[in-house]
Amino acid sequence: HLIVGQRGMGKTMLLARIAAELRTVPELSARFIPLSFAEEQYAVDRLSKFWLNCLDSLADAREQAGDVHAVTEIDATVARLTAVGVRPVKEDQPFADDVYAAFAKAAQTAGQRPVLLVDNLQLVFERLEERQQHSLRELLMRPGAPILVGASPSPPPQSQDYGAAFYDHFKVHYLRPLEEQEMRDLLVHLAEAAQRDDVRQRVLQYPARLKVLRQLTGGNPRTTLTLFFLYAE
């Protein structure tokens, strides 16, 4: 899945919400394990780094679940895999296959399928060689492979250009601007959360102002939040 939306439209929040749902709903947590990543981890220039990041994220998820034994095993696996040192990018594919095999084995121990929640997915695609992009797609198409849910400000060329590695691979979900009614609901909710009944009343009593605010924000939720505090003052 690929979530596409301008900055401030809620891509990062939606990924976090998916992770929370997969962790807290029993019938989902028994089948899936959500893996989230810090943005700075996306500075990968080879596929082996991508799968090593997945191993690190898996260790974080196991630690959060209190599985100390699994964390110890994953740390030992990472230490063994990285003991040889950095390889040239052109020689990375065999090592990347080994790291993926170790990641898949570690994930299978609890019978949960990994869900990779990758923000700024376009950065990963930009840095990977084309042949490694094709390798990544091939791995993701295997039965029982990790589920990739990525977010990007716009559809990456690697998913749009005919013949590119991820052409026609993703189900794309566009985050649209807030409609006027949705923006009204958001502002009213923020006013109630901030205990500002005066702002709530103004939002409801002056719909023309709401139309102007929507024009100013373009229906962007993050900008709407910022303008709410300006409006409240």
Side-chain angles (χ1 to χ4, degrees):
H1 296 268
L2 179 63
I3 301 166
V4 176
Q6 297 177 355
R7 301 195 183 280
M9 291 299 294
K11 300 185 299 297
T12 303
M13 180 66 72
L14 182 54
L15 292 179
R17 185 66 187 86
I18 293 172
E21 190 79 2
L22 293 178
R23 280 195 301 266
T24 56
V25 178
E27 57 266 30
L28 295 177
S29 61
R31 298 173 54 201
F32 305 104
I33 179 166
L35 302 183
S36 302
F37 306 84
E39 287 196 30
E40 61 269 16
Q41 289 183 308
Y42 299 144
V44 297
D45 60 352
R46 62 198 70 193
L47 196 52
S48 62
K49 287 187 178 180
F50 178 78
W51 294 123
L52 284 170
N53 286 344
C54 290
L55 271 171
D56 287 340
S57 183
L58 180 61
D60 292 339
R62 297 296 190 215
E63 184 176 18
Q64 187 175 5
D67 192 343
V68 179
H69 177 70
V71 174
T72 302
E73 286 194 344
I74 293 172
D75 288 344
T77 298
V78 171
R80 173 178 58 81
L81 289 169
T82 56
V84 180
V86 179
R87 299 163 176 79
V89 174
K90 293 184 178 181
E91 301 174 10
D92 183 68
Q93 193 57 53
F95 180 50
D97 292 339
D98 291 342
V99 179
Y100 174 74
F103 168 66
K105 181 179 179 181
Q108 289 172 355
T109 55
Q112 295 167 300
R113 189 175 181 184
V115 179
L116 312 180
L117 302 166
V118 184
D119 206 355
N120 292 315
L121 182 62
Q122 78 282 0
L123 299 181
V124 176
F125 288 165
E126 287 173 3
R127 291 175 172 86
L128 286 180
E129 288 188 341
E130 185 177 355
R131 60 189 179 89
Q132 289 209 319
Q133 294 174 21
H134 284 279
S135 176
L136 177 58
R137 173 168 181 160
E138 188 275 326
L139 287 173
L140 293 174
M141 293 180 66
R142 294 179 184 178
I147 298 170
L148 176 60
V149 181
S152 176
S154 60
Q158 296 81 1
S159 68
Q160 298 293 298
D161 298 340
Y162 183 79
F166 289 92
Y167 178 77
D168 204 27
H169 178 75
F170 290 102
K171 293 182 179 179
V172 183
H173 311 273
Y174 290 92
L175 299 184
R176 305 296 183 182
L178 295 175
E179 298 292 341
E180 188 173 325
Q181 180 62 48
E182 293 171 328
M183 188 170 179
R184 180 183 296 108
D185 293 343
L186 175 57
L187 289 171
V188 168
H189 173 76
L190 291 171
E192 292 173 347
Q195 298 181 344
R196 290 294 302 270
D197 189 63
D198 57 329
V199 177
R200 177 181 180 276
Q201 292 299 326
R202 286 203 300 273
V203 170
L204 298 176
Q205 291 174 5
Y206 300 98
R209 293 182 180 180
L210 182 67
K211 291 183 179 181
V212 174
L213 286 176
R214 185 176 183 275
Q215 291 175 345
L216 289 172
T217 63
N220 186 295
R222 184 189 298 166
T223 309
T224 301
L225 176 64
T226 302
L227 276 186
F228 166 79
F229 292 107
L230 295 175
Y231 192 38
E233 294 301 322

